[in-house]
Amino acid sequence: MVSFAIRNFGCRANQADAFAWADALGRSGLRLERDWARGDVVVVNSCTLTARADRDVKKFIRAVARENPASRIVVAGCYAERAPADLAALPGVAAVLPRRAEPDLVERVLELGGPGARTEERAPDDAFRARAFLRVQDGCDNRCAYCIVPGVRGPSRSVPGDTVAASVADLARRGFREIVLAGIHLSSYGEELEPRTSLAGLLAGLRGRTGPARLRLTSLDPRRMDDALIGCIVSDAAICPHVHLSLQHASAGTLRLMGRPVEPGRAEAILERLGRLAPDAAIGADLMAGFPGETESDFEATRALLERSALTYAHVFPYSPRPGTPAAARPQVPAGLAAGRARALRRVAAMKDYRFRRRFVGRELEAVVIDRPAGGAGAEVLTGNFIKVFVPACAAPRRELVRVAVRRVLPLRTEGEVVA
């Protein structure tokens, strides 16, 4: 049987796309190979958010061509949309599918698999993910100064609510107990639909229709965090107590330079309200250091917000210029200075994450089994409030929900035991 492997780069929306492709390829009779070095066809879902992302994609493709020379490489995703000729010239690449060609991905993979690649339709191999990723929105209408994604993903487009509900029900029926709702700009869900709706409207429509599965939301824009959306998140037991904000910065001046103007104090007010209404929730943010024009006082504003706010963790990264964006043409903060600021933010974020996890020692939390090492009795589980817990023994299969008691918290590891 022809095998395929998928290597995903980039955002949660890309993960949702890769999940859907693996599902469709499995239904078409191909066997999922988790080790890309052994796949007959290797699908690369690329990212082009930064120049570094481009380099990572090309480095991986060259590694596949070197270590699995018999494989046929198919490249899709945002990089394939932005620069298909560059990717087609790399060794081992058999096909490059820009976004408009992605609906044909399954057929192209089957063609590359050769005679006998297609067999009777069957249930897909769900080993690709322990959690289901469902893209409910694509594209973005914003024009952030550092971002090229709107140029490769296009304007915002939403999946109708009834279609989302049907997909959620199907995934729950197939045994998935956590479904991640993903989008390029998830907060703008439904704004272009007729009749117009919102992410809060989508969640309200899904209330009571998820069966045994819980929902997790991907990154949200604080500029669209209104009372209705916050109310949905904190009041629905089927939604994981986890909010991740695309915050980027705390300085109003830097946010204006980014093309993300926001009322002073708004982000902090949102964080305060979330922390008050959902005290056990994980509250995270993307934070950028070293954006062009960022001063020392701008940076200190971000560090101060991270220290005093209800944020429990942060994804911190130094600014990396994306050629073709307005920010890339501006005078740059020295790379060493930007990296140093990022390290400072990561130290604060690591301490806040440690303190948050320590609050749950001795408590029981619901978690989904996300990984079971081959031949081992232990497992890694993910709680609703986004804590990965390592357990020495677990009889439940991947994807199943369990009750886990947190026993020990270390700086880089949380340990516990399954109690139900």
Side-chain angles (χ1 to χ4, degrees):
M1 180 186 294
V2 173
S3 66
F4 71 96
I6 295 182
R7 175 67 161 86
N8 194 72
F9 291 85
C11 63
R12 297 285 195 237
N14 261 22
Q15 291 188 34
D17 291 337
F19 181 91
W21 298 339
D23 202 50
L25 289 168
R27 289 185 183 279
S28 296
L30 275 65
R31 175 175 57 83
L32 173 66
E33 175 59 70
R34 300 188 73 183
D35 182 0
W36 56 262
R38 299 172 59 183
D40 297 317
V41 180
V42 178
V43 179
V44 181
N45 193 17
S46 65
C47 174
T48 193
L49 183 63
T50 65
R52 182 177 301 171
D54 289 353
R55 290 195 297 270
D56 289 345
V57 169
K58 290 188 287 188
K59 180 180 179 181
F60 175 74
I61 290 172
R62 293 190 178 101
V64 174
R66 181 176 62 251
E67 299 179 29
N68 187 4
S71 68
R72 280 81 74 194
I73 302 172
V74 177
V75 189
C78 291
Y79 194 178
E81 176 68 24
R82 189 185 66 81
D86 293 353
L87 293 168
L90 294 174
V93 174
V96 178
L97 303 181
R99 301 211 64 83
R100 63 184 178 278
E102 284 181 0
D104 301 325
L105 184 140
V106 173
E107 287 299 325
R108 294 301 303 274
V109 171
L110 291 170
E111 291 171 4
L112 291 170
R118 184 188 292 276
T119 61
E120 72 280 356
E121 184 170 306
R122 62 183 182 87
D125 183 349
D126 289 324
F128 183 66
R129 286 284 186 271
R131 300 182 294 155
F133 285 76
L134 179 63
R135 179 166 57 78
V136 301
Q137 184 275 339
D138 200 355
C140 183
D141 295 330
N142 296 324
R143 289 294 182 267
C144 298
Y146 53 83
C147 186
I148 200 169
V149 170
V152 295
R153 286 274 188 172
S156 180
R157 305 174 304 284
S158 306
V159 178
D162 287 347
T163 303
V164 174
S167 297
V168 166
D170 177 65
L171 291 166
R173 178 187 56 78
R174 288 166 46 193
F176 288 98
R177 295 298 176 256
E178 180 169 310
I179 301 168
V180 183
L181 302 184
I184 292 296
H185 192 258
L186 185 61
S187 297
S188 65
Y189 175 87
E191 292 180 357
E192 86 296 345
L193 290 177
E194 292 291 343
R196 182 186 175 100
T197 185
S198 64
L199 181 58
L202 174 67
L203 296 177
L206 292 175
R207 188 184 290 264
R209 302 173 68 182
T210 63
R214 67 189 190 187
L215 301 177
R216 191 182 299 273
L217 304 179
T218 54
S219 184
L220 301 173
D221 190 332
R223 295 170 294 180
R224 284 179 164 85
M225 288 292 291
D226 57 17
D227 292 346
L229 181 55
I230 292 175
C232 281
I233 294 171
V234 302
S235 67
D236 191 343
I239 299 176
C240 289
H242 173 208
V243 179
H244 187 90
L245 299 177
S246 178
L247 194 60
Q248 307 304 347
H249 217 276
S251 163
T254 302
L255 287 168
R256 282 195 299 272
L257 291 173
M258 289 179 171
R260 299 174 59 87
V262 66
E263 300 171 21
R266 174 169 172 75
E268 191 160 8
I270 290 170
L271 293 172
E272 186 278 331
R273 187 173 184 206
L274 287 169
R276 175 167 45 84
L277 295 177
D280 287 346
I283 305 173
D286 294 321
L287 296 175
M288 187 186 301
F291 186 77
E294 180 191 69
T295 66
E296 191 66 25
S297 63
D298 292 331
F299 162 70
E300 289 297 340
T302 299
R303 177 156 60 181
L305 176 68
L306 178 57
E307 289 175 339
R308 69 175 180 262
S309 72
L311 286 171
T312 65
Y313 74 93
H315 293 163
V316 179
F317 49 97
Y319 168 75
S320 177
R322 168 73 270 174
T325 61
R330 299 172 185 169
Q332 303 291 299
V333 172
L337 180 57
R341 290 174 177 174
R343 284 194 298 271
L345 292 177
R346 288 188 185 117
R347 284 193 294 269
V348 177
M351 182 55 67
K352 297 207 70 174
D353 170 67
Y354 178 58
R355 290 173 178 167
F356 175 69
R357 290 182 289 119
R358 284 186 61 184
R359 287 165 41 190
F360 297 94
V361 173
R363 292 179 57 181
E364 295 181 10
L365 301 170
E366 183 184 74
V368 64
V369 181
I370 59 174
D371 193 26
R372 295 203 53 155
E380 182 181 68
V381 303
L382 183 68
T383 69
N385 59 350
F386 205 54
I387 300 174
K388 285 184 179 179
V389 183
F390 297 88
V391 296
C394 180
R398 292 171 80 239
R399 300 187 300 178
E400 192 54 76
L401 288 175
V402 297
R403 296 288 297 179
V404 61
V406 178
R407 298 303 187 202
R408 187 166 74 143
V409 170
L410 303 173
L412 298 177
R413 183 182 174 95
T414 304
E415 299 173 353
E417 63 177 329
V418 173
V419 295

